[in-house]
């Protein structure tokens, strides 16, 4: 496969759609399509419990701490992650059921193995389960062989819990080879990969050329994700210091895109994490934004 699949032509990537993006023709003539993404990661993070050398220090209520080693496991960090699968995910599910809205879940395979019940509940409620790889770790630190094995492990875990293999993929903490590995392993297994979201470079989906000799003119769909309209910014500087800031940012994003959507319909992505927006004070801001969207 061409390296174009990994790193599409830089000049073309910088240019994007330009001044005249295509009309996406959203259903019912909508000006904006909103994609909510719920990251289910709890149990898949760095932790001595998974055989890792250190505990996770990223995206928790006390960010920036010193990683603890196996002999001194960070129980505070471990417990914060557990909140997401024990409590937060269920609050999010109740909220989306109340509004009758659907989301895509980026599910970490190891998290699904350890606690599959939330995934089963998501499927029952009609949500999509995409893969967030097998572990929530930096894949640049793994070997190619390990990463290929993890692709299979993630698919197996999600299939066991949801009844089918994921058709969407988001690695997140990605290596330069991740996208190509995922694509190749799906082909080997004869599975359909409809899209990945390991990009942040547009407000509309787009296609990459993945042509091969056997598959001329083949295209791969990229649905860009977001790191700005994302509750992770409660845990990274500069970020949201209060739920009001989160709501205001989501509202402002929606307002601009909705206005521009009169002539050029747009796509808005909202990133959520069970252990973060699943907390009552932050869930209130999410509910407020959903109510605002319904009233527009």
């Amino acid at each position: 496969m061409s390296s174009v699949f990994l790193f599409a032509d830089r000049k073309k990537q910088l240019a994007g759609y330009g001044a005249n993006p295509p009309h996406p023709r959203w259903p019912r003539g909508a000006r904006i399509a909103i994609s909510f993404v719920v990251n289910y990661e709890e149990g898949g993070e760095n932790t001595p419990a998974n055989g890792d050398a250190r505990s996770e220090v990223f995206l928790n209520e006390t960010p920036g701490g010193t990683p603890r080693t196996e002999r001194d496991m960070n129980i505070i960090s471990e417990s914060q992650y557990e909140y997401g699968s024990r409590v937060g995910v269920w609050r999010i599910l109740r909220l989306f059921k109340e509004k009758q809205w659907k989301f895509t879940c980026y599910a970490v395979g190891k998290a699904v193995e350890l606690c599959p019940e939330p995934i089963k509940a998501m499927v029952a409620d009609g949500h999509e389960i995409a893969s967030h790889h097998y572990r929530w770790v930096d894949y640049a630190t793994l070997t190619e062989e390990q990463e290929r094995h993890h692709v299979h492990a993630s698919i197996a875990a999600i299939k066991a819990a949801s009844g089918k293999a994921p058709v969407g993929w988001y690695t997140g903490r990605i290596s330069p080879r991740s996208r190509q590995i995922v694509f190749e392993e799906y082909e080997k297994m004869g599975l359909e990969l409809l899209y990945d979201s390991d990009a942040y470079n547009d407000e509309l989906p787009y296609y990459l050329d993945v042509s091969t000799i056997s598959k001329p003119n083949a295209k791969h769909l990229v649905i860009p994700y977001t790191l700005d309209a994302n509750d992770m910014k409660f845990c990274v500087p500069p970020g949201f210091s209060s739920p009001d800031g989160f709501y205001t940012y989501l509202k402002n994003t929606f307002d601009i895109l909705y206005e521009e959507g009169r002539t050029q319909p747009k796509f808005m992505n909202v990133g959520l994490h069970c252990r973060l927006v699943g907390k009552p004070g932050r869930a209130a801001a999410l509910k407020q934004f959903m109510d605002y969207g319904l009233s527009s």
Side-chain angles (χ1 to χ4, degrees):
M1 183 176 298
S2 167
S3 62
V4 169
F5 182 63
L6 280 174
F7 305 106
D9 181 82
R10 187 63 172 159
K11 185 176 180 180
K12 183 177 180 181
Q13 287 295 91
L14 288 169
Y17 287 126
N20 299 296
H23 195 303
R25 309 207 178 280
W26 302 130
R28 297 184 295 277
R31 297 188 197 179
I32 184 173
I34 306 177
S35 172
F36 289 91
V37 172
V38 175
N39 291 267
Y40 186 66
E41 301 164 339
E42 289 75 13
E45 73 280 3
N46 283 295
T47 168
N50 286 336
D52 302 311
R54 300 200 185 327
S55 293
E56 185 62 64
V57 295
F58 192 46
L59 295 195
N60 61 62
E61 302 292 345
T62 53
T66 301
R68 301 267 184 99
T69 63
E70 187 174 355
R71 292 184 301 172
D72 188 24
M73 190 162 71
N74 192 337
I75 300 302
I76 295 174
S77 176
E78 305 287 330
S79 187
Q80 289 183 61
Y81 272 81
E82 291 165 5
Y83 180 92
S85 56
R86 290 169 62 104
V87 181
V89 66
W90 301 110
R91 176 169 289 118
I92 293 169
L93 277 164
R94 289 193 299 270
L95 178 56
F96 275 83
K97 180 175 284 189
E98 174 191 329
K99 303 301 178 186
Q100 298 183 3
W101 285 11
K102 306 302 179 186
F103 59 74
T104 292
C105 173
Y106 288 168
V108 173
K110 184 65 173 179
V112 177
E113 282 182 355
L114 292 171
C115 187
E117 285 74 17
I119 299 300
K120 294 177 181 179
M122 292 176 195
V123 172
D125 285 354
H127 304 294
E128 180 201 5
I129 312 299
S131 176
H132 195 352
H133 226 308
Y134 182 63
R135 294 289 311 280
W136 194 62
V137 297
D138 183 357
Y139 273 91
T141 66
L142 274 65
T143 67
E144 179 177 333
E145 182 180 1
Q146 288 173 320
E147 188 165 6
R148 289 185 185 276
H149 172 72
H150 278 202
V151 171
H152 288 256
S154 178
I155 292 171
I158 292 172
K159 187 175 182 180
S162 70
K164 60 182 181 180
V167 298
W169 196 278
Y170 174 71
T171 296
R173 298 164 86 167
I174 195 168
S175 79
R177 62 182 177 259
S178 292
R179 177 178 279 160
Q180 185 158 347
I181 286 175
V182 171
F183 191 85
E184 289 174 349
E185 294 308 310
Y186 263 76
E187 282 201 323
K188 290 177 185 176
M189 289 184 280
L191 297 175
E192 184 177 37
L193 180 66
L194 293 181
Y195 71 91
D196 81 62
S197 291
D198 279 302
Y200 314 92
N201 55 1
D202 214 305
E203 291 170 353
L204 286 176
Y206 60 89
Y207 287 95
L208 288 178
D209 180 2
V210 293
S211 300
T212 61
I213 294 175
S214 62
K215 293 184 177 180
N217 303 315
K219 302 291 183 182
H220 174 69
L221 180 64
V222 177
I223 302 178
Y225 187 42
T226 178
L227 296 179
D228 60 301
N230 192 315
D231 66 0
M232 67 168 286
K233 300 206 74 170
F234 281 108
C235 300
V236 296
F240 305 123
S241 59
S242 74
D244 288 343
F246 182 47
Y247 167 71
T248 299
Y249 193 89
L250 295 183
K251 177 181 178 297
N252 288 350
T253 301
F254 177 93
D255 287 347
I256 290 293
L257 296 179
Y258 188 75
E259 178 61 29
E260 293 177 353
R262 290 180 181 272
T263 56
Q264 296 180 341
K266 296 293 171 54
F267 173 77
M268 177 179 176
N269 216 320
V270 180
L272 307 170
H273 295 76
C274 301
R275 63 192 176 280
L276 301 180
V277 83
K279 293 292 178 70
R282 296 177 185 137
L286 174 60
K287 181 177 185 297
Q288 187 179 7
F289 173 70
M290 294 172 79
D291 288 338
Y292 179 76
L294 287 168
S295 69
S296 297

